[in-house]
Amino acid sequence: MFAIERIRIIKNYITNNQQAEVSSLSSMLNVSEVTIRRDLEKLEEEGFLTRTHGGAILNKAEDEPVIASEGFNPADYQEIADIAVQLIKDGDIIMLTNGSINLHIAKKLGSKNNITILTNDITIATELSHNKSVKVVLLGGNVDFRYNAVFGTLTTNNLKQFFVSKLFIEIDGITGDLDLTVSSIDMASLIQEAANNASQKILLLTADAFEKNSFYRVGKAQQIADRLITNSRIKDTYKNTIFNSNIQLFTSIDAFEGNV
Amino acid sequence: MNVPALMLKNINKYMSEDFSLNSINLDLFYGEVHALIGENGSGKSMIINVINGIFKKDSGQIYVDGQEINANSVYEAKKLGIHSVLQDVALYPNLSIAENVYADKMPYKNELLHWIDYDQLIYNCKELFKDLNINLNPEAMLGSLGYAQLHLVELIKAYISDARIIIFDEPTSCFSPVEKAVLYQVIHELKKRKKAIIYITHSLDEIEQVADRVTVIYQGKIIGTRNVTVTTTEEIIELMAMTEVGKRYPKLDIPLGKTIMSVKDLSFETVLSDINFDLRKGEILGVTGLAGSGRSMLAKCIFGVTKPTTGTIEVNGKPATIHEPYDAIRAGVALLPEDRINSSVFGSLSLQSNVSIASLRRFVQHMVIDPYILADVSNSYVEKLSIKPGNADDIVRTYSGGNQQKMAVARWMMSHLKIYIMDEPTRGVDIASKTDIYNCMVDMVRKGASIIFISSDIDEIMGMCDRILVMNSGKLVCDVPRAQASKELILKYAAK
């Protein structure tokens, strides 16, 4: 189970019971007591509870019910990145287009060896600079400060010099007919060019992207990519269409709790 | 050429988004055995159901002797001269064998009064059994017979009927060699009498034995028809394997760990013999084979539902003594059974009870189950697996097959075991739920669990598994890594 999910459950539990013991939380949630203590520490910092010996009690001032965060949900990105990282093997040459999911992938590359990463996202390149075991190639071009990434003719020309084994494409929207859309025309042409120079192409998008469409069209999903990673709460009709279009659909069902 | 006994022309039938019959054209002549072959769920039985009027066709025509017919029930089809021997028996267990055999053709002393001549009936039946070398007492109750013998009675009913067209739907699936010999003799006799016969099977051996022509069906479409005398088995296999689908199964290449389970010399009576295999950490091991090849029995033996006659099971290098399912769960093994409705879903309980029932121990606090955390954890599973509508109090009976199956998967995931045996997890499940179940498998193996995935859908097995085992009449006949497997190879081992 994911940390955020666990903390939500702990919060609900303490709201209902006024107090909790570390040992019982740990057995019920299938995680170690150390993890539970760390979660309780976080909640203490939030002022939600006060830690006691072997447990915690609810702060009385906290009356308002626990509200699930709306819209933007970092757990969505994390889950998708978790699956995407599994696709990357030691020694791979990959490209990450600009975006938050790809940034999360970059953060998780620490465990891999000898990976070369091509990207147009400055934040991703900076993030990877902490990691000594990877090689980073940042494309050139016009900097668009809204995305903190480079785009334009310079970038697409630059792209022609490379060939990557795995291309991770982050998309902003998808229609019912699996038309991919993004929020800028430069981004669309960058993705089209990148797709020409890659052997495996993987689409990344959150479940929210299925509900909204952006303005600029990239192309049909089945022509651009062979895999798609998203969250599990997308509508059944989408699962159906994607499966029938012969695209491998990975949904981030992050339900199984921890390693066995 | 003469008029075909039975002709299907452009039959279409839409069943679900997943399955439909697409312009089926088929012809059958007198004195001929026409075999239909295809995987489970390819539509063989569906065609028979359409001919018999059990399912109404959407469009197309059915002709008998050149006359268009429209049967609305099995009874009407019988009157038109079509006799079907279906997979399920429809007999009277409280009557004698003789009465069952002659149910459609009773010898009467007086026609008008329906006065049955019992002496004649028993005499006829005895003679008939002598001719066919059947060792049954005609006066015994039908209810005293075993499953295979019941099918034999159905077979004999077809033999003595006046029907000109006879349909056999997988007649040998439960037959031993003795009963098979009777079957072949019956078919031989019927052919001599110039009857037209449709013979459904998925065994290639039988086709060589009895059929004149063979038609291959795949996902509701006819792939091709061949003349058996001039076609080799290899050609038929090729025809069956032609139907490769795209790479649409979500499969992660997880590095495999150490061996977590070994099954050694496992046998069960005559159903399973000498099964040996290893399962590694993080592996999805595919087990396929025809119905009746012993796949499900293997699963039951490992999980302790049935006690194997011989053999040992090692979990984590240590021999596990599994006498009953409880022992298996304690050893870290779960079974998602094939028969969802009878053996896994509690239809009249709520969704929450169903999901949490295998892991209640987790939520015990001071000898009482904590309802809040139980609700929270099970809700999180329901949400993650998009089980819909998904209210904790919903009675599960009202849920669709796909959602019920996801619920069964969630139940075992929540119990957090090491080895999952999944027997036909995607059979009769809609596509969206299928993708969810595949992704549950991905989720489990990437966190270190191992899966034995039993399925008769070869595409799915090829798409999801690291290694594939093929079973045939209770034996393991093939063990190949995914990279070396092909549909042709699997079919060859499964159907030979």
Side-chain angles (χ1 to χ4, degrees):
Chain A
M1 195 187 313
F2 207 65
I4 292 176
E5 183 71 16
R6 194 172 59 235
I7 287 179
R8 191 183 63 75
I9 291 180
I10 295 176
K11 269 187 169 178
N12 272 353
Y13 180 80
I14 296 180
T15 320
N16 287 321
N17 291 328
Q18 311 298 316
Q19 58 168 34
E21 284 162 33
V22 173
S23 58
S24 59
L25 283 176
S26 128
S27 78
M28 284 189 284
L29 292 167
N30 256 353
V31 289
S32 69
E33 296 197 359
V34 183
T35 317
I36 294 290
R37 287 212 182 83
R38 219 181 295 134
D39 291 341
L40 293 180
E41 254 171 56
K42 264 185 219 159
L43 289 172
E44 190 176 36
E45 279 168 29
E46 284 179 27
F48 179 77
L49 49 77
T50 313
R51 287 193 298 146
T52 58
H53 181 73
I57 47 171
L58 182 71
N59 281 350
K60 287 277 176 268
E62 189 87 29
D63 270 346
E64 55 195 278
V66 186
I67 306 163
S69 56
E70 281 172 30
F72 172 79
N73 186 358
D76 282 357
Y77 298 146
Q78 288 277 11
E79 289 178 352
I80 295 172
D82 272 338
I83 303 244
V85 166
Q86 301 271 4
L87 293 170
I88 302 170
K89 303 251 155 20
D90 286 353
D92 268 350
I93 299 168
I94 63 169
M95 174 167 175
L96 303 175
T97 64
N98 57 297
S100 317
I101 303 175
N102 272 331
L103 179 62
H104 277 90
I105 296 180
K107 284 182 184 165
K108 289 176 192 290
L109 285 178
S111 59
K112 308 278 172 186
N113 289 314
N114 198 16
I115 298 189
T116 310
I117 299 134
L118 185 67
T119 185
N120 68 322
D121 190 318
I122 298 166
T123 327
I124 290 178
T126 325
E127 172 65 37
L128 287 167
S129 67
H130 306 303
N131 190 337
K132 298 283 174 281
S133 62
V134 300
K135 186 177 165 192
V136 186
V137 179
L138 180 61
L139 293 163
N142 299 325
V143 180
D144 187 329
F145 286 104
R146 278 177 305 168
Y147 307 106
N148 212 11
V150 295
F151 297 105
T153 334
L154 263 175
T155 319
T156 46
N157 283 338
N158 202 182
L159 254 181
K160 290 194 174 99
Q161 297 171 335
F162 302 98
F163 189 86
V164 295
S165 53
K166 281 162 193 145
L167 166 65
F168 292 88
I169 310 165
E170 196 166 333
I171 293 288
D172 299 328
I174 191 164
T175 68
D177 306 330
L178 304 188
D179 262 323
L180 307 174
T181 54
V182 289
S183 53
S184 94
I185 192 154
D186 288 334
M187 216 185 281
S189 51
L190 174 91
I191 289 167
Q192 282 157 355
E193 183 58 42
N196 288 333
N197 303 314
S199 58
Q200 284 184 39
K201 288 148 279 193
I202 300 126
L203 294 173
L204 309 168
L205 59 167
T206 60
D208 301 325
F210 283 84
E211 301 304 328
K212 65 167 198 216
N213 295 313
S214 293
F215 188 43
Y216 300 96
R217 198 172 159 271
V218 182
K220 285 264 183 220
Q222 52 268 55
Q223 279 148 21
I224 302 268
D226 30 38
R227 288 190 172 126
L228 189 149
I229 311 178
T230 184
N231 304 110
S232 62
R233 60 170 197 275
I234 61 168
K235 280 196 188 128
D236 283 356
T237 47
Y238 286 114
K239 290 179 187 166
N240 216 328
T241 337
I242 295 169
F243 189 76
N244 281 332
S245 313
N246 285 333
I247 297 172
Q248 289 187 18
L249 170 66
F250 290 90
T251 54
S252 59
I253 295 182
D254 195 9
F256 202 62
E257 295 161 68
N259 290 315
V260 288
Chain B
M1 220 172 169
N2 47 353
V3 184
L6 176 73
M7 187 163 75
L8 306 188
K9 220 173 160 191
N10 282 324
I11 300 283
N12 288 299
K13 170 75 191 171
Y14 177 88
M15 283 304 285
S16 65
E17 59 184 23
D18 214 1
F19 183 79
S20 56
L21 288 178
N22 281 319
S23 49
I24 299 290
N25 287 297
L26 203 68
D27 50 4
L28 174 71
F29 295 93
Y30 287 115
E32 172 194 60
V33 178
H34 193 144
L36 300 184
I37 192 166
E39 293 165 32
N40 291 344
S42 56
K44 304 175 302 247
S45 301
M46 177 78 69
I47 294 177
I48 304 313
N49 287 337
V50 168
I51 295 175
N52 274 318
I54 296 170
F55 292 129
K56 268 233 147 331
K57 57 187 188 291
D58 293 341
S59 64
Q61 293 89 40
I62 301 172
Y63 298 94
V64 170
D65 298 330
Q67 298 275 315
E68 185 169 352
I69 61 145
N70 253 321
N72 285 316
S73 65
V74 180
Y75 179 67
E76 279 186 43
K78 250 181 202 169
K79 283 207 287 192
L80 291 162
I82 303 171
H83 187 104
S84 305
V85 181
L86 302 177
Q87 280 166 320
D88 305 308
V89 291
L91 298 166
Y92 312 103
N94 295 327
L95 296 182
S96 69
I97 296 175
E99 281 169 305
N100 269 289
V101 170
Y102 285 93
D104 298 334
K105 275 181 88 176
M106 280 291 180
Y108 291 119
K109 272 184 186 158
N110 186 324
E111 283 280 340
L112 205 64
L113 295 175
H114 280 222
W115 205 345
I116 296 167
D117 185 346
Y118 279 100
D119 295 335
Q120 184 72 39
L121 175 72
I122 302 293
Y123 175 77
N124 284 354
C125 199
K126 273 193 176 141
E127 287 299 302
L128 181 69
F129 282 8
K130 216 188 285 169
D131 283 350
L132 292 171
N133 282 323
I134 298 170
N135 190 14
L136 289 178
N137 176 12
E139 285 166 276
M141 279 293 162
L142 184 95
S144 64
L145 297 185
Y147 194 59
Q149 289 164 322
L150 290 177
H151 278 87
L152 203 60
V153 172
E154 280 277 11
L155 174 69
I156 298 159
K157 264 179 91 173
Y159 177 68
I160 59 159
S161 77
D162 297 323
R164 289 154 299 156
I165 299 162
I166 296 173
I167 298 169
F168 294 104
D169 192 353
E170 291 187 26
T172 56
S173 56
C174 58
F175 279 3
S176 69
V178 185
E179 285 121 14
K180 272 188 193 167
V182 176
L183 171 75
Y184 294 148
Q185 195 192 342
V186 164
I187 290 178
H188 192 73
E189 276 295 316
L190 290 172
K191 247 174 92 171
K192 249 201 258 169
R193 292 192 215 156
K194 292 281 167 219
K195 307 255 178 167
I197 299 165
I198 291 183
Y199 188 92
I200 295 182
T201 180
H202 38 214
S203 158
L204 289 164
D205 278 350
E206 285 173 25
I207 290 187
E208 279 176 21
Q209 283 270 2
V210 300
D212 300 300
R213 281 193 301 160
V214 55
T215 292
V216 178
I217 301 173
Y218 179 79
Q219 294 204 340
K221 288 188 201 64
I222 288 194
I223 306 296
T225 302
R226 293 286 183 277
N227 217 324
V228 173
T229 42
V230 296
T231 318
T232 58
T233 318
E234 277 68 35
E235 266 181 87
I236 300 172
I237 291 178
E238 236 170 74
L239 210 56
M240 289 171 75
M242 235 163 57
T243 46
E244 199 100 22
V245 294
K247 290 181 178 164
R248 56 188 184 182
Y249 298 94
K251 168 79 184 122
L252 286 182
D253 290 323
I254 312 264
L256 301 183
K258 58 179 189 349
T259 299
I260 188 159
M261 181 166 83
S262 329
V263 171
K264 286 181 181 156
D265 303 321
L266 190 86
S267 300
F268 176 71
E269 291 176 6
T270 53
V271 188
L272 292 176
S273 52
D274 279 337
I275 307 285
N276 281 290
F277 68 87
D278 289 341
L279 177 70
R280 294 174 63 184
K281 193 176 160 76
E283 184 173 43
I284 303 183
L285 177 65
V287 178
T288 188
L290 305 176
S293 60
R295 301 167 308 183
S296 300
M297 191 48 86
L298 175 64
K300 283 182 187 166
C301 282
I302 299 174
F303 192 59
V305 182
T306 346
K307 196 164 166 36
T309 325
T310 60
T312 50
I313 297 160
E314 283 180 11
V315 178
N316 258 339
K318 287 187 288 272
T321 41
I322 297 174
H323 298 300
E324 52 176 15
Y326 180 72
D327 299 331
I329 296 169
R330 292 240 305 203
V333 183
L335 169 68
L336 186 74
E338 180 182 24
D339 184 356
R340 176 170 66 227
I341 295 163
N342 287 322
S343 22
S344 106
V345 173
F346 299 101
S348 50
L349 292 187
S350 71
L351 177 64
Q352 186 180 307
S353 316
N354 262 290
V355 169
S356 57
I357 207 153
S359 38
L360 291 176
R361 187 181 293 270
R362 257 176 76 174
F363 305 110
V364 173
Q365 265 216 80
H366 313 300
M367 301 173 75
V368 192
I369 293 172
D370 187 304
Y372 299 108
I373 206 144
L374 174 102
D376 246 345
V377 173
S378 43
N379 272 342
S380 115
Y381 273 90
V382 167
E383 211 172 282
K384 283 277 167 58
L385 269 70
S386 13
I387 299 172
K388 283 165 203 151
N391 304 312
D393 309 331
D394 289 346
I395 298 300
V396 166
R397 190 178 51 226
T398 58
Y399 275 26
S400 73
N403 280 311
Q404 287 188 6
Q405 187 70 316
K406 283 199 277 186
M407 183 219 79
V409 174
R411 176 194 296 167
W412 281 124
M413 280 176 94
M414 204 159 133
S415 67
H416 202 245
L417 301 175
K418 289 191 287 283
I419 298 161
Y420 288 85
I421 307 172
M422 303 174 101
D423 194 355
E424 298 281 3
T426 60
R427 182 190 283 171
V429 158
D430 58 296
I431 291 180
S433 303
K434 261 188 197 179
T435 63
D436 285 334
I437 292 169
Y438 296 141
N439 278 297
C440 284
M441 294 167 72
V442 171
D443 189 38
M444 291 191 275
V445 291
R446 84 186 156 103
K447 289 169 186 162
S450 313
I451 297 175
I452 298 177
F453 180 25
I454 303 175
S455 171
S456 45
D457 182 342
I458 298 176
D459 293 325
E460 156 182 291
I461 285 277
M462 301 250 306
M464 289 302 295
C465 296
D466 298 289
R467 202 152 52 91
I468 299 163
L469 307 180
V470 183
M471 292 190 69
N472 193 336
S473 9
K475 291 189 188 65
L476 256 184
V477 287
C478 172
D479 180 345
V480 282
R482 158 80 192 83
Q484 287 160 32
S486 69
K487 210 170 169 183
E488 270 173 335
L489 183 87
I490 295 172
L491 279 169
K492 207 175 92 192
Y493 280 108
K496 272 236 160 143

Short mmCIF file of all heavy atoms in Angstrom, two decimals, chain A residues 103-137:
data_model
loop_
_atom_site.label_atom_id
_atom_site.label_comp_id
_atom_site.label_asym_id
_atom_site.label_seq_id
_atom_site.Cartn_x
_atom_site.Cartn_y
_atom_site.Cartn_z
N LEU A 103 9.46 13.28 -14.51
CA LEU A 103 10.32 13.75 -13.43
C LEU A 103 10.36 12.70 -12.32
O LEU A 103 11.43 12.40 -11.76
CB LEU A 103 9.82 15.09 -12.90
CG LEU A 103 10.62 15.69 -11.75
CD1 LEU A 103 12.06 15.97 -12.18
CD2 LEU A 103 9.97 16.97 -11.23
N HIS A 104 9.20 12.11 -12.02
CA HIS A 104 9.17 11.05 -11.00
C HIS A 104 9.97 9.83 -11.44
O HIS A 104 10.61 9.19 -10.62
CB HIS A 104 7.72 10.64 -10.71
CG HIS A 104 7.05 11.54 -9.72
ND1 HIS A 104 6.34 12.65 -10.11
CD2 HIS A 104 7.02 11.51 -8.37
CE1 HIS A 104 5.88 13.26 -9.03
NE2 HIS A 104 6.27 12.60 -7.96
N ILE A 105 9.91 9.52 -12.75
CA ILE A 105 10.72 8.40 -13.25
C ILE A 105 12.19 8.70 -13.01
O ILE A 105 12.94 7.87 -12.50
CB ILE A 105 10.46 8.15 -14.75
CG1 ILE A 105 9.01 7.72 -14.96
CG2 ILE A 105 11.41 7.11 -15.31
CD1 ILE A 105 8.64 7.45 -16.40
N ALA A 106 12.60 9.94 -13.37
CA ALA A 106 14.00 10.33 -13.22
C ALA A 106 14.46 10.15 -11.77
O ALA A 106 15.56 9.69 -11.51
CB ALA A 106 14.19 11.77 -13.67
N LYS A 107 13.57 10.50 -10.83
CA LYS A 107 13.93 10.38 -9.41
C LYS A 107 14.15 8.94 -9.00
O LYS A 107 14.83 8.67 -8.03
CB LYS A 107 12.82 10.98 -8.54
CG LYS A 107 12.82 12.49 -8.54
CD LYS A 107 11.72 13.01 -7.63
CE LYS A 107 11.67 14.53 -7.71
NZ LYS A 107 10.41 15.06 -7.14
N LYS A 108 13.51 8.01 -9.72
CA LYS A 108 13.58 6.61 -9.33
C LYS A 108 14.69 5.86 -10.05
O LYS A 108 14.82 4.65 -9.90
CB LYS A 108 12.25 5.92 -9.61
CG LYS A 108 11.14 6.36 -8.68
CD LYS A 108 9.85 5.71 -9.09
CE LYS A 108 8.67 6.35 -8.37
NZ LYS A 108 8.65 6.04 -6.93
N LEU A 109 15.48 6.55 -10.89
CA LEU A 109 16.48 5.84 -11.69
C LEU A 109 17.73 5.47 -10.91
O LEU A 109 18.62 4.81 -11.43
CB LEU A 109 16.86 6.68 -12.91
CG LEU A 109 15.80 6.71 -14.01
CD1 LEU A 109 16.24 7.61 -15.14
CD2 LEU A 109 15.53 5.31 -14.53
N GLY A 110 17.80 5.89 -9.64
CA GLY A 110 18.99 5.64 -8.82
C GLY A 110 19.40 4.19 -8.75
O GLY A 110 20.58 3.87 -8.67
N SER A 111 18.42 3.28 -8.82
CA SER A 111 18.74 1.87 -8.64
C SER A 111 19.28 1.23 -9.91
O SER A 111 19.72 0.09 -9.90
CB SER A 111 17.48 1.12 -8.19
OG SER A 111 16.48 1.29 -9.17
N LYS A 112 19.23 1.96 -11.03
CA LYS A 112 19.65 1.37 -12.31
C LYS A 112 21.12 1.71 -12.58
O LYS A 112 21.65 2.69 -12.08
CB LYS A 112 18.80 1.90 -13.46
CG LYS A 112 17.32 1.78 -13.22
CD LYS A 112 16.81 0.40 -13.55
CE LYS A 112 15.37 0.25 -13.12
NZ LYS A 112 14.86 -1.09 -13.27
N ASN A 113 21.73 0.90 -13.44
CA ASN A 113 23.13 1.13 -13.79
C ASN A 113 23.28 1.45 -15.27
O ASN A 113 22.58 0.87 -16.09
CB ASN A 113 23.96 -0.11 -13.47
CG ASN A 113 24.10 -0.29 -11.98
OD1 ASN A 113 24.39 0.66 -11.25
ND2 ASN A 113 23.82 -1.50 -11.53
N ASN A 114 24.21 2.37 -15.54
CA ASN A 114 24.66 2.54 -16.91
C ASN A 114 23.54 2.93 -17.86
O ASN A 114 23.42 2.38 -18.95
CB ASN A 114 25.32 1.22 -17.36
CG ASN A 114 26.20 1.44 -18.56
OD1 ASN A 114 26.55 2.59 -18.86
ND2 ASN A 114 26.53 0.37 -19.25
N ILE A 115 22.71 3.87 -17.45
CA ILE A 115 21.61 4.29 -18.29
C ILE A 115 21.92 5.64 -18.93
O ILE A 115 22.49 6.51 -18.28
CB ILE A 115 20.32 4.38 -17.46
CG1 ILE A 115 20.01 3.01 -16.92
CG2 ILE A 115 19.16 4.91 -18.28
CD1 ILE A 115 18.70 2.88 -16.28
N THR A 116 21.57 5.78 -20.19
CA THR A 116 21.72 7.06 -20.86
C THR A 116 20.34 7.67 -21.04
O THR A 116 19.42 6.99 -21.52
CB THR A 116 22.39 6.88 -22.23
OG1 THR A 116 23.56 6.09 -22.05
CG2 THR A 116 22.74 8.22 -22.84
N ILE A 117 20.18 8.92 -20.63
CA ILE A 117 18.88 9.57 -20.70
C ILE A 117 18.95 10.80 -21.58
O ILE A 117 19.78 11.68 -21.38
CB ILE A 117 18.37 9.97 -19.31
CG1 ILE A 117 18.23 8.73 -18.44
CG2 ILE A 117 17.03 10.68 -19.40
CD1 ILE A 117 18.79 8.92 -17.09
N LEU A 118 18.06 10.84 -22.54
CA LEU A 118 17.93 11.99 -23.41
C LEU A 118 16.67 12.72 -22.97
O LEU A 118 15.64 12.10 -22.76
CB LEU A 118 17.78 11.47 -24.84
CG LEU A 118 17.74 12.45 -26.00
CD1 LEU A 118 19.08 13.14 -26.15
CD2 LEU A 118 17.40 11.70 -27.28
N THR A 119 16.75 14.05 -22.81
CA THR A 119 15.54 14.75 -22.38
C THR A 119 15.53 16.19 -22.89
O THR A 119 16.58 16.74 -23.24
CB THR A 119 15.39 14.73 -20.84
OG1 THR A 119 14.14 15.33 -20.49
CG2 THR A 119 16.51 15.47 -20.14
N ASN A 120 14.31 16.77 -22.94
CA ASN A 120 14.21 18.17 -23.27
C ASN A 120 13.78 18.99 -22.06
O ASN A 120 13.51 20.16 -22.14
CB ASN A 120 13.21 18.37 -24.44
CG ASN A 120 11.80 18.05 -24.02
OD1 ASN A 120 11.58 17.11 -23.26
ND2 ASN A 120 10.85 18.82 -24.51
N ASP A 121 13.68 18.30 -20.90
CA ASP A 121 13.19 18.95 -19.70
C ASP A 121 14.36 19.34 -18.80
O ASP A 121 15.14 18.49 -18.37
CB ASP A 121 12.25 17.98 -18.97
CG ASP A 121 11.50 18.65 -17.83
OD1 ASP A 121 12.13 19.43 -17.09
OD2 ASP A 121 10.30 18.38 -17.68
N ILE A 122 14.47 20.63 -18.51
CA ILE A 122 15.61 21.12 -17.72
C ILE A 122 15.53 20.61 -16.28
O ILE A 122 16.53 20.25 -15.68
CB ILE A 122 15.67 22.66 -17.78
CG1 ILE A 122 15.88 23.10 -19.23
CG2 ILE A 122 16.80 23.20 -16.90
CD1 ILE A 122 15.63 24.55 -19.48
N THR A 123 14.30 20.56 -15.74
CA THR A 123 14.15 20.09 -14.35
C THR A 123 14.62 18.64 -14.23
O THR A 123 15.28 18.28 -13.26
CB THR A 123 12.67 20.15 -13.92
OG1 THR A 123 12.06 21.27 -14.58
CG2 THR A 123 12.54 20.30 -12.44
N ILE A 124 14.28 17.81 -15.23
CA ILE A 124 14.70 16.41 -15.19
C ILE A 124 16.22 16.32 -15.24
O ILE A 124 16.84 15.60 -14.45
CB ILE A 124 14.07 15.62 -16.37
CG1 ILE A 124 12.57 15.47 -16.14
CG2 ILE A 124 14.71 14.24 -16.52
CD1 ILE A 124 11.82 14.76 -17.25
N ALA A 125 16.84 17.12 -16.14
CA ALA A 125 18.30 17.10 -16.26
C ALA A 125 18.95 17.50 -14.94
O ALA A 125 19.91 16.87 -14.49
CB ALA A 125 18.74 18.02 -17.38
N THR A 126 18.39 18.54 -14.28
CA THR A 126 18.94 18.99 -13.01
C THR A 126 18.79 17.90 -11.96
O THR A 126 19.72 17.61 -11.20
CB THR A 126 18.19 20.24 -12.50
OG1 THR A 126 17.82 21.02 -13.63
CG2 THR A 126 19.04 21.05 -11.56
N GLU A 127 17.62 17.29 -11.92
CA GLU A 127 17.35 16.23 -10.95
C GLU A 127 18.35 15.09 -11.11
O GLU A 127 18.88 14.58 -10.13
CB GLU A 127 15.92 15.71 -11.17
CG GLU A 127 15.54 14.48 -10.38
CD GLU A 127 15.50 14.73 -8.88
OE1 GLU A 127 15.08 15.85 -8.50
OE2 GLU A 127 15.93 13.84 -8.11
N LEU A 128 18.64 14.74 -12.38
CA LEU A 128 19.54 13.62 -12.64
C LEU A 128 20.99 13.96 -12.35
O LEU A 128 21.82 13.07 -12.24
CB LEU A 128 19.37 13.15 -14.09
CG LEU A 128 18.08 12.39 -14.36
CD1 LEU A 128 17.86 12.23 -15.84
CD2 LEU A 128 18.11 11.03 -13.68
N SER A 129 21.29 15.25 -12.24
CA SER A 129 22.68 15.62 -11.99
C SER A 129 23.16 15.11 -10.63
O SER A 129 24.35 14.98 -10.39
CB SER A 129 22.84 17.14 -12.06
OG SER A 129 22.14 17.72 -10.98
N HIS A 130 22.21 14.76 -9.72
CA HIS A 130 22.61 14.19 -8.43
C HIS A 130 23.02 12.74 -8.56
O HIS A 130 23.61 12.17 -7.66
CB HIS A 130 21.44 14.26 -7.43
CG HIS A 130 20.88 15.63 -7.30
ND1 HIS A 130 21.64 16.72 -6.94
CD2 HIS A 130 19.62 16.12 -7.50
CE1 HIS A 130 20.87 17.80 -6.92
NE2 HIS A 130 19.66 17.47 -7.27
N ASN A 131 22.65 12.14 -9.68
CA ASN A 131 22.83 10.70 -9.83
C ASN A 131 24.08 10.43 -10.66
O ASN A 131 24.16 10.78 -11.82
CB ASN A 131 21.58 10.15 -10.54
CG ASN A 131 21.55 8.65 -10.54
OD1 ASN A 131 22.59 8.00 -10.41
ND2 ASN A 131 20.37 8.09 -10.69
N LYS A 132 25.08 9.79 -10.03
CA LYS A 132 26.36 9.62 -10.71
C LYS A 132 26.35 8.45 -11.70
O LYS A 132 27.20 8.35 -12.56
CB LYS A 132 27.47 9.40 -9.67
CG LYS A 132 27.65 10.57 -8.72
CD LYS A 132 28.41 11.71 -9.40
CE LYS A 132 28.48 12.94 -8.50
NZ LYS A 132 27.23 13.75 -8.51
N SER A 133 25.40 7.53 -11.55
CA SER A 133 25.47 6.31 -12.35
C SER A 133 24.77 6.45 -13.71
O SER A 133 24.66 5.48 -14.44
CB SER A 133 24.87 5.14 -11.58
OG SER A 133 23.51 5.40 -11.32
N VAL A 134 24.25 7.62 -14.03
CA VAL A 134 23.57 7.77 -15.32
C VAL A 134 24.25 8.85 -16.16
O VAL A 134 24.96 9.71 -15.65
CB VAL A 134 22.08 8.15 -15.14
CG1 VAL A 134 21.34 7.10 -14.37
CG2 VAL A 134 21.94 9.50 -14.49
N LYS A 135 24.02 8.75 -17.48
CA LYS A 135 24.54 9.75 -18.38
C LYS A 135 23.35 10.54 -18.92
O LYS A 135 22.35 9.95 -19.33
CB LYS A 135 25.26 9.04 -19.53
CG LYS A 135 25.98 9.95 -20.47
CD LYS A 135 26.70 9.12 -21.51
CE LYS A 135 27.12 10.03 -22.66
NZ LYS A 135 27.55 9.25 -23.81
N VAL A 136 23.43 11.87 -18.87
CA VAL A 136 22.29 12.68 -19.29
C VAL A 136 22.65 13.51 -20.51
O VAL A 136 23.71 14.13 -20.56
CB VAL A 136 21.85 13.64 -18.16
CG1 VAL A 136 20.58 14.37 -18.54
CG2 VAL A 136 21.65 12.88 -16.88
N VAL A 137 21.78 13.51 -21.51
CA VAL A 137 21.96 14.38 -22.66
C VAL A 137 20.77 15.32 -22.71
O VAL A 137 19.62 14.88 -22.81
CB VAL A 137 22.04 13.56 -23.97
CG1 VAL A 137 22.19 14.49 -25.16
CG2 VAL A 137 23.16 12.55 -23.91
#
